[in-house]
Amino acid sequence: MYETWNSLQEACLQCHKCGLCEGRHNVVFGIGVETAEVMFIGEGPGENEDLQGEPFVGRGGQLLDKMLAAVDLSREKNIYIANIVKCRPPQNRDPLPEEQEACIDWLRNQTALIRPKIIVCLGRIAAAKIIKPDIKITKEHGVFFEKNGVVMMATLHPAALLRNPSQKPGAFDDFLKLREKIHELCDHTYEEA
Ligand code: URA
């Protein structure tokens, strides 16, 4: 385990643990507040993220930022955002189980340093890896689970919402539930700066 954020990030940026390193422009380590009580986990970088080195900066990211803002959350202020895999899978395919497994220790180490109270998984891939392998995202989004003392919830992936706008109200409901849960469990997420 890496004890400091800098040593962890430095090592992660050099990673060659799986084949995804070959096509990358940037390792997309993560972004946000390193003491956040709420952590969001996506699947893996897309094209824009690979080029810019930051998670969720494409159209899906803009939608995510809007939904976050509606419940007073932002990557600048009070959350941290990371992905299951840190390098872009070719043609945005799902990351393979072996790629997820090769990469997951980086995320484990990030989570160990942040010690979030709530984890929100964005989409099925993250939810299956973090919450439970057989999660049914269409039925179980917005449901809170507890694992190792951390409260977890899955919501629909922003890219899925762009493809299926009719699912947006359901996803927005998840964010409202999240806001309630934050009020219940968190100490400084909604504190004024
Ligand atoms: N989709 C993800 O799951 N993560 C990103 O960072 C961008 C798109």
Side-chain angles (χ1 to χ4, degrees), residues 13 18 68 93-94 98 152 167:
L13 296 186
C18 83
L68 289 169
R93 64 158 169 74
D94 291 350
E98 56 268 32
M152 303 184 181
Q167 294 183 324

PDB file of all heavy atoms in Angstrom, residues 13 18 68 93-94 98 152 167:
ATOM      1  N   LEU A  13       0.767   6.450 -12.433  1.00  0.00           N
ATOM      2  CA  LEU A  13       1.028   7.078 -13.739  1.00  0.00           C
ATOM      3  C   LEU A  13       2.065   6.285 -14.556  1.00  0.00           C
ATOM      4  O   LEU A  13       2.160   6.458 -15.770  1.00  0.00           O
ATOM      5  CB  LEU A  13       1.474   8.537 -13.566  1.00  0.00           C
ATOM      6  CG  LEU A  13       0.449   9.489 -12.953  1.00  0.00           C
ATOM      7  CD1 LEU A  13       0.938  10.930 -12.966  1.00  0.00           C
ATOM      8  CD2 LEU A  13      -0.925   9.414 -13.627  1.00  0.00           C
ATOM      9  N   CYS A  18      -1.316  -3.945 -17.381  1.00  0.00           N
ATOM     10  CA  CYS A  18      -2.128  -4.630 -18.395  1.00  0.00           C
ATOM     11  C   CYS A  18      -1.933  -3.958 -19.746  1.00  0.00           C
ATOM     12  O   CYS A  18      -1.295  -2.903 -19.850  1.00  0.00           O
ATOM     13  CB  CYS A  18      -3.611  -4.670 -18.002  1.00  0.00           C
ATOM     14  SG  CYS A  18      -4.527  -3.167 -18.406  1.00  0.00           S
ATOM     15  N   LEU A  68     -24.796  16.490 -10.434  1.00  0.00           N
ATOM     16  CA  LEU A  68     -24.095  16.726  -9.172  1.00  0.00           C
ATOM     17  C   LEU A  68     -24.427  18.114  -8.629  1.00  0.00           C
ATOM     18  O   LEU A  68     -24.749  18.274  -7.443  1.00  0.00           O
ATOM     19  CB  LEU A  68     -22.581  16.610  -9.388  1.00  0.00           C
ATOM     20  CG  LEU A  68     -22.026  15.207  -9.658  1.00  0.00           C
ATOM     21  CD1 LEU A  68     -20.574  15.279 -10.114  1.00  0.00           C
ATOM     22  CD2 LEU A  68     -22.147  14.321  -8.416  1.00  0.00           C
ATOM     23  N   ARG A  93     -14.703  -0.140 -25.554  1.00  0.00           N
ATOM     24  CA  ARG A  93     -15.322  -1.405 -25.138  1.00  0.00           C
ATOM     25  C   ARG A  93     -15.284  -1.514 -23.620  1.00  0.00           C
ATOM     26  O   ARG A  93     -14.551  -0.777 -22.946  1.00  0.00           O
ATOM     27  CB  ARG A  93     -14.597  -2.596 -25.795  1.00  0.00           C
ATOM     28  CG  ARG A  93     -13.153  -2.763 -25.362  1.00  0.00           C
ATOM     29  CD  ARG A  93     -12.688  -4.193 -25.593  1.00  0.00           C
ATOM     30  NE  ARG A  93     -11.252  -4.335 -25.429  1.00  0.00           N
ATOM     31  CZ  ARG A  93     -10.598  -4.338 -24.277  1.00  0.00           C
ATOM     32  NH1 ARG A  93     -11.242  -4.135 -23.126  1.00  0.00           N
ATOM     33  NH2 ARG A  93      -9.292  -4.500 -24.238  1.00  0.00           N
ATOM     34  N   ASP A  94     -16.119  -2.451 -23.073  1.00  0.00           N
ATOM     35  CA  ASP A  94     -16.077  -2.685 -21.632  1.00  0.00           C
ATOM     36  C   ASP A  94     -14.675  -3.160 -21.245  1.00  0.00           C
ATOM     37  O   ASP A  94     -14.084  -3.972 -21.967  1.00  0.00           O
ATOM     38  CB  ASP A  94     -17.071  -3.795 -21.235  1.00  0.00           C
ATOM     39  CG  ASP A  94     -18.520  -3.360 -21.390  1.00  0.00           C
ATOM     40  OD1 ASP A  94     -18.773  -2.156 -21.628  1.00  0.00           O
ATOM     41  OD2 ASP A  94     -19.395  -4.243 -21.289  1.00  0.00           O
ATOM     42  N   GLU A  98      -9.932  -9.234 -16.650  1.00  0.00           N
ATOM     43  CA  GLU A  98      -8.504  -9.261 -16.253  1.00  0.00           C
ATOM     44  C   GLU A  98      -7.914  -7.852 -16.202  1.00  0.00           C
ATOM     45  O   GLU A  98      -6.999  -7.583 -15.412  1.00  0.00           O
ATOM     46  CB  GLU A  98      -7.674 -10.198 -17.148  1.00  0.00           C
ATOM     47  CG  GLU A  98      -7.723  -9.926 -18.627  1.00  0.00           C
ATOM     48  CD  GLU A  98      -8.816 -10.724 -19.365  1.00  0.00           C
ATOM     49  OE1 GLU A  98      -9.884 -10.988 -18.752  1.00  0.00           O
ATOM     50  OE2 GLU A  98      -8.592 -11.059 -20.546  1.00  0.00           O
ATOM     51  N   MET A 152     -23.052   2.125  -0.034  1.00  0.00           N
ATOM     52  CA  MET A 152     -22.833   2.156  -1.488  1.00  0.00           C
ATOM     53  C   MET A 152     -24.151   2.161  -2.244  1.00  0.00           C
ATOM     54  O   MET A 152     -25.113   1.549  -1.814  1.00  0.00           O
ATOM     55  CB  MET A 152     -22.066   0.913  -1.933  1.00  0.00           C
ATOM     56  CG  MET A 152     -20.763   0.759  -1.223  1.00  0.00           C
ATOM     57  SD  MET A 152     -19.842  -0.644  -1.848  1.00  0.00           S
ATOM     58  CE  MET A 152     -18.420  -0.492  -0.771  1.00  0.00           C
ATOM     59  N   GLN A 167     -34.641   7.767 -19.107  1.00  0.00           N
ATOM     60  CA  GLN A 167     -34.187   7.243 -17.807  1.00  0.00           C
ATOM     61  C   GLN A 167     -33.655   8.340 -16.886  1.00  0.00           C
ATOM     62  O   GLN A 167     -33.312   8.067 -15.737  1.00  0.00           O
ATOM     63  CB  GLN A 167     -33.093   6.190 -18.028  1.00  0.00           C
ATOM     64  CG  GLN A 167     -33.605   4.948 -18.743  1.00  0.00           C
ATOM     65  CD  GLN A 167     -32.535   3.880 -18.888  1.00  0.00           C
ATOM     66  OE1 GLN A 167     -31.365   4.193 -19.084  1.00  0.00           O
ATOM     67  NE2 GLN A 167     -32.928   2.630 -18.786  1.00  0.00           N
TER      68      GLN A 167
END
